[in-house]
């Protein structure tokens, strides 16, 4: 199953409304701006009847670049 993209959300709203695509793109972008700021400060975002988007901590680990699998890279620890 593929991920739901911003483009798909915009197109679905566009098909079902009379709004211009630019208006829809701006609205969808603004919709995620405020929760995004919350995540950066370590706060969870709860959307009623949808779910809770939680901040999680990840430990530092070794990863590989898909185009150069022989090269190892350090993926820093992150809290998001």
């Amino acid at each position: 199953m593929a991920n739901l993209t911003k483009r798909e959300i915009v197109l679905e709203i566009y098909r079902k409304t009379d709004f211009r695509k630019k208006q829809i793109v701006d609205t969808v972008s603004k919709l995620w701006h405020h929760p995004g700021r919350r995540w950066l400060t370590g706060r969870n975002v709860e959307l009623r009847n949808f779910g809770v988007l939680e901040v999680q901590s990840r430990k530092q680990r070794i990863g590989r670049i898909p185009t150069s699998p022989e090269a190892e890279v350090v993926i820093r620890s992150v809290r998001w």
Side-chain angles (χ1 to χ4, degrees), residues 14-71:
Y14 179 72
R15 284 189 214 107
K16 294 183 177 184
T17 65
D18 294 328
F19 297 115
R20 295 187 329 255
K21 280 186 187 176
K22 172 121 177 64
Q23 287 177 305
I24 299 168
V25 169
D26 290 345
T27 302
V28 171
S29 294
K30 288 176 184 175
L31 171 71
W32 290 108
H33 177 74
H34 188 68
R37 288 190 354 234
R38 298 288 179 153
W39 290 320
L40 289 175
T41 61
R43 296 179 63 187
N44 294 339
V45 176
E46 180 180 348
L47 303 171
R48 300 285 174 164
N49 298 319
F50 180 77
V52 177
L53 305 169
E54 297 178 327
V55 176
Q56 295 184 352
S57 296
R58 304 283 178 169
K59 294 180 183 176
Q60 181 172 305
R61 66 189 199 284
I62 301 295
R64 300 195 189 288
I65 301 172
T67 56
S68 303
E70 65 283 348

